[in-house]
PDB file of all heavy atoms in Angstrom:
ATOM      1  N   ALA A 346      85.381  74.342 218.535  1.00  0.00           N
ATOM      2  CA  ALA A 346      85.673  72.917 218.336  1.00  0.00           C
ATOM      3  C   ALA A 346      85.146  72.470 216.976  1.00  0.00           C
ATOM      4  O   ALA A 346      83.997  72.730 216.633  1.00  0.00           O
ATOM      5  CB  ALA A 346      85.033  72.089 219.450  1.00  0.00           C
ATOM      6  N   ASN A 347      85.994  71.821 216.216  1.00  0.00           N
ATOM      7  CA  ASN A 347      85.593  71.289 214.907  1.00  0.00           C
ATOM      8  C   ASN A 347      85.142  69.833 214.990  1.00  0.00           C
ATOM      9  O   ASN A 347      84.589  69.295 214.039  1.00  0.00           O
ATOM     10  CB  ASN A 347      86.760  71.415 213.915  1.00  0.00           C
ATOM     11  CG  ASN A 347      87.125  72.860 213.656  1.00  0.00           C
ATOM     12  OD1 ASN A 347      86.248  73.698 213.493  1.00  0.00           O
ATOM     13  ND2 ASN A 347      88.428  73.159 213.642  1.00  0.00           N
ATOM     14  N   TYR A 348      85.419  69.204 216.127  1.00  0.00           N
ATOM     15  CA  TYR A 348      85.058  67.795 216.308  1.00  0.00           C
ATOM     16  C   TYR A 348      84.407  67.622 217.682  1.00  0.00           C
ATOM     17  O   TYR A 348      84.666  68.384 218.595  1.00  0.00           O
ATOM     18  CB  TYR A 348      86.305  66.886 216.238  1.00  0.00           C
ATOM     19  CG  TYR A 348      87.139  67.083 215.000  1.00  0.00           C
ATOM     20  CD1 TYR A 348      88.273  67.888 215.033  1.00  0.00           C
ATOM     21  CD2 TYR A 348      86.795  66.472 213.795  1.00  0.00           C
ATOM     22  CE1 TYR A 348      89.047  68.090 213.904  1.00  0.00           C
ATOM     23  CE2 TYR A 348      87.558  66.664 212.664  1.00  0.00           C
ATOM     24  CZ  TYR A 348      88.686  67.469 212.718  1.00  0.00           C
ATOM     25  OH  TYR A 348      89.441  67.657 211.591  1.00  0.00           O
ATOM     26  N   GLY A 349      83.590  66.578 217.811  1.00  0.00           N
ATOM     27  CA  GLY A 349      83.092  66.179 219.131  1.00  0.00           C
ATOM     28  C   GLY A 349      81.859  66.910 219.614  1.00  0.00           C
ATOM     29  O   GLY A 349      81.374  66.626 220.709  1.00  0.00           O
ATOM     30  N   LEU A 350      81.327  67.875 218.831  1.00  0.00           N
ATOM     31  CA  LEU A 350      80.131  68.582 219.284  1.00  0.00           C
ATOM     32  C   LEU A 350      78.908  67.673 219.146  1.00  0.00           C
ATOM     33  O   LEU A 350      78.763  66.940 218.176  1.00  0.00           O
ATOM     34  CB  LEU A 350      79.929  69.874 218.478  1.00  0.00           C
ATOM     35  CG  LEU A 350      81.023  70.935 218.684  1.00  0.00           C
ATOM     36  CD1 LEU A 350      80.751  72.143 217.815  1.00  0.00           C
ATOM     37  CD2 LEU A 350      81.097  71.351 220.143  1.00  0.00           C
ATOM     38  N   VAL A 351      78.020  67.760 220.122  1.00  0.00           N
ATOM     39  CA  VAL A 351      76.895  66.824 220.225  1.00  0.00           C
ATOM     40  C   VAL A 351      75.619  67.430 219.652  1.00  0.00           C
ATOM     41  O   VAL A 351      75.266  68.565 219.964  1.00  0.00           O
ATOM     42  CB  VAL A 351      76.671  66.433 221.701  1.00  0.00           C
ATOM     43  CG1 VAL A 351      75.350  65.704 221.878  1.00  0.00           C
ATOM     44  CG2 VAL A 351      77.821  65.564 222.197  1.00  0.00           C
ATOM     45  N   GLU A 352      74.942  66.642 218.820  1.00  0.00           N
ATOM     46  CA  GLU A 352      73.629  67.012 218.306  1.00  0.00           C
ATOM     47  C   GLU A 352      72.610  65.960 218.775  1.00  0.00           C
ATOM     48  O   GLU A 352      72.943  64.776 218.877  1.00  0.00           O
ATOM     49  CB  GLU A 352      73.639  67.063 216.773  1.00  0.00           C
ATOM     50  CG  GLU A 352      74.373  68.265 216.193  1.00  0.00           C
ATOM     51  CD  GLU A 352      73.747  69.597 216.578  1.00  0.00           C
ATOM     52  OE1 GLU A 352      72.500  69.660 216.676  1.00  0.00           O
ATOM     53  OE2 GLU A 352      74.495  70.563 216.808  1.00  0.00           O
ATOM     54  N   PRO A 353      71.366  66.372 219.064  1.00  0.00           N
ATOM     55  CA  PRO A 353      70.346  65.399 219.476  1.00  0.00           C
ATOM     56  C   PRO A 353      70.105  64.334 218.407  1.00  0.00           C
ATOM     57  O   PRO A 353      70.188  64.617 217.213  1.00  0.00           O
ATOM     58  CB  PRO A 353      69.088  66.265 219.657  1.00  0.00           C
ATOM     59  CG  PRO A 353      69.593  67.659 219.867  1.00  0.00           C
ATOM     60  CD  PRO A 353      70.857  67.762 219.064  1.00  0.00           C
ATOM     61  N   VAL A 354      69.818  63.103 218.850  1.00  0.00           N
ATOM     62  CA  VAL A 354      69.458  62.026 217.923  1.00  0.00           C
ATOM     63  C   VAL A 354      67.996  62.234 217.512  1.00  0.00           C
ATOM     64  O   VAL A 354      67.114  62.336 218.376  1.00  0.00           O
ATOM     65  CB  VAL A 354      69.618  60.639 218.597  1.00  0.00           C
ATOM     66  CG1 VAL A 354      69.029  59.541 217.728  1.00  0.00           C
ATOM     67  CG2 VAL A 354      71.083  60.354 218.883  1.00  0.00           C
ATOM     68  N   PRO A 355      67.702  62.322 216.212  1.00  0.00           N
ATOM     69  CA  PRO A 355      66.305  62.546 215.775  1.00  0.00           C
ATOM     70  C   PRO A 355      65.377  61.460 216.318  1.00  0.00           C
ATOM     71  O   PRO A 355      65.728  60.282 216.360  1.00  0.00           O
ATOM     72  CB  PRO A 355      66.403  62.481 214.249  1.00  0.00           C
ATOM     73  CG  PRO A 355      67.818  62.822 213.936  1.00  0.00           C
ATOM     74  CD  PRO A 355      68.633  62.270 215.065  1.00  0.00           C
ATOM     75  N   PHE A 356      64.196  61.887 216.753  1.00  0.00           N
ATOM     76  CA  PHE A 356      63.231  60.957 217.358  1.00  0.00           C
ATOM     77  C   PHE A 356      61.878  61.080 216.662  1.00  0.00           C
ATOM     78  O   PHE A 356      61.460  62.170 216.279  1.00  0.00           O
ATOM     79  CB  PHE A 356      63.070  61.270 218.853  1.00  0.00           C
ATOM     80  CG  PHE A 356      62.011  60.450 219.540  1.00  0.00           C
ATOM     81  CD1 PHE A 356      62.278  59.158 219.956  1.00  0.00           C
ATOM     82  CD2 PHE A 356      60.738  60.973 219.747  1.00  0.00           C
ATOM     83  CE1 PHE A 356      61.298  58.390 220.576  1.00  0.00           C
ATOM     84  CE2 PHE A 356      59.746  60.216 220.370  1.00  0.00           C
ATOM     85  CZ  PHE A 356      60.033  58.923 220.785  1.00  0.00           C
ATOM     86  N   GLU A 357      61.192  59.948 216.506  1.00  0.00           N
ATOM     87  CA  GLU A 357      59.819  59.917 216.002  1.00  0.00           C
ATOM     88  C   GLU A 357      59.029  58.912 216.846  1.00  0.00           C
ATOM     89  O   GLU A 357      59.563  57.886 217.260  1.00  0.00           O
ATOM     90  CB  GLU A 357      59.776  59.472 214.532  1.00  0.00           C
ATOM     91  CG  GLU A 357      60.384  60.456 213.546  1.00  0.00           C
ATOM     92  CD  GLU A 357      59.510  61.671 213.292  1.00  0.00           C
ATOM     93  OE1 GLU A 357      58.291  61.585 213.583  1.00  0.00           O
ATOM     94  OE2 GLU A 357      60.036  62.688 212.816  1.00  0.00           O
ATOM     95  N   PHE A 358      57.771  59.230 217.107  1.00  0.00           N
ATOM     96  CA  PHE A 358      56.919  58.247 217.779  1.00  0.00           C
ATOM     97  C   PHE A 358      56.637  57.080 216.836  1.00  0.00           C
ATOM     98  O   PHE A 358      56.661  57.249 215.613  1.00  0.00           O
ATOM     99  CB  PHE A 358      55.606  58.896 218.231  1.00  0.00           C
ATOM    100  CG  PHE A 358      55.754  59.722 219.478  1.00  0.00           C
ATOM    101  CD1 PHE A 358      55.671  61.103 219.432  1.00  0.00           C
ATOM    102  CD2 PHE A 358      55.985  59.109 220.697  1.00  0.00           C
ATOM    103  CE1 PHE A 358      55.800  61.862 220.571  1.00  0.00           C
ATOM    104  CE2 PHE A 358      56.130  59.860 221.857  1.00  0.00           C
ATOM    105  CZ  PHE A 358      56.039  61.246 221.791  1.00  0.00           C
ATOM    106  N   PRO A 359      56.369  55.885 217.374  1.00  0.00           N
ATOM    107  CA  PRO A 359      56.135  54.717 216.513  1.00  0.00           C
ATOM    108  C   PRO A 359      54.844  54.852 215.715  1.00  0.00           C
ATOM    109  O   PRO A 359      53.967  55.662 216.046  1.00  0.00           O
ATOM    110  CB  PRO A 359      56.050  53.558 217.515  1.00  0.00           C
ATOM    111  CG  PRO A 359      55.623  54.192 218.793  1.00  0.00           C
ATOM    112  CD  PRO A 359      56.278  55.540 218.809  1.00  0.00           C
ATOM    113  N   ALA A 360      54.733  54.047 214.670  1.00  0.00           N
ATOM    114  CA  ALA A 360      53.517  54.040 213.842  1.00  0.00           C
ATOM    115  C   ALA A 360      52.343  53.475 214.642  1.00  0.00           C
ATOM    116  O   ALA A 360      52.517  52.834 215.686  1.00  0.00           O
ATOM    117  CB  ALA A 360      53.758  53.200 212.593  1.00  0.00           C
ATOM    118  N   LEU A 361      51.179  53.709 214.137  1.00  0.00           N
ATOM    119  CA  LEU A 361      49.945  53.236 214.768  1.00  0.00           C
ATOM    120  C   LEU A 361      49.953  51.715 214.903  1.00  0.00           C
ATOM    121  O   LEU A 361      50.359  50.998 213.989  1.00  0.00           O
ATOM    122  CB  LEU A 361      48.765  53.679 213.906  1.00  0.00           C
ATOM    123  CG  LEU A 361      47.360  53.520 214.476  1.00  0.00           C
ATOM    124  CD1 LEU A 361      47.165  54.425 215.675  1.00  0.00           C
ATOM    125  CD2 LEU A 361      46.336  53.844 213.391  1.00  0.00           C
ATOM    126  N   ASN A 362      49.525  51.243 216.062  1.00  0.00           N
ATOM    127  CA  ASN A 362      49.481  49.803 216.319  1.00  0.00           C
ATOM    128  C   ASN A 362      48.512  49.108 215.348  1.00  0.00           C
ATOM    129  O   ASN A 362      47.456  49.645 215.008  1.00  0.00           O
ATOM    130  CB  ASN A 362      49.032  49.561 217.766  1.00  0.00           C
ATOM    131  CG  ASN A 362      49.230  48.131 218.204  1.00  0.00           C
ATOM    132  OD1 ASN A 362      48.481  47.237 217.818  1.00  0.00           O
ATOM    133  ND2 ASN A 362      50.247  47.891 219.026  1.00  0.00           N
ATOM    134  N   ALA A 363      48.877  47.903 214.938  1.00  0.00           N
ATOM    135  CA  ALA A 363      48.077  47.156 213.941  1.00  0.00           C
ATOM    136  C   ALA A 363      46.672  46.825 214.456  1.00  0.00           C
ATOM    137  O   ALA A 363      45.762  46.558 213.655  1.00  0.00           O
ATOM    138  CB  ALA A 363      48.806  45.870 213.562  1.00  0.00           C
ATOM    139  N   HIS A 364      46.477  46.833 215.779  1.00  0.00           N
ATOM    140  CA  HIS A 364      45.143  46.537 216.333  1.00  0.00           C
ATOM    141  C   HIS A 364      44.131  47.645 216.030  1.00  0.00           C
ATOM    142  O   HIS A 364      42.919  47.427 216.140  1.00  0.00           O
ATOM    143  CB  HIS A 364      45.227  46.318 217.847  1.00  0.00           C
ATOM    144  CG  HIS A 364      45.897  45.035 218.231  1.00  0.00           C
ATOM    145  ND1 HIS A 364      45.508  43.804 217.743  1.00  0.00           N
ATOM    146  CD2 HIS A 364      46.948  44.777 219.056  1.00  0.00           C
ATOM    147  CE1 HIS A 364      46.277  42.850 218.244  1.00  0.00           C
ATOM    148  NE2 HIS A 364      47.165  43.413 219.046  1.00  0.00           N
ATOM    149  N   TRP A 365      44.666  48.833 215.690  1.00  0.00           N
ATOM    150  CA  TRP A 365      43.754  49.931 215.350  1.00  0.00           C
ATOM    151  C   TRP A 365      43.356  49.816 213.872  1.00  0.00           C
ATOM    152  O   TRP A 365      44.127  50.117 212.981  1.00  0.00           O
ATOM    153  CB  TRP A 365      44.415  51.283 215.601  1.00  0.00           C
ATOM    154  CG  TRP A 365      44.412  51.705 217.042  1.00  0.00           C
ATOM    155  CD1 TRP A 365      45.471  51.758 217.893  1.00  0.00           C
ATOM    156  CD2 TRP A 365      43.274  52.141 217.791  1.00  0.00           C
ATOM    157  NE1 TRP A 365      45.079  52.183 219.133  1.00  0.00           N
ATOM    158  CE2 TRP A 365      43.725  52.431 219.108  1.00  0.00           C
ATOM    159  CE3 TRP A 365      41.916  52.305 217.500  1.00  0.00           C
ATOM    160  CZ2 TRP A 365      42.876  52.886 220.117  1.00  0.00           C
ATOM    161  CZ3 TRP A 365      41.066  52.757 218.503  1.00  0.00           C
ATOM    162  CH2 TRP A 365      41.544  53.042 219.794  1.00  0.00           C
TER     163      TRP A 365
END
Side-chain angles (χ1 to χ4, degrees):
N347 296 317
Y348 307 98
L350 295 178
V351 168
E352 287 298 324
V354 171
F356 175 81
E357 292 285 341
F358 282 109
L361 191 66
N362 192 285
H364 289 306
W365 280 108

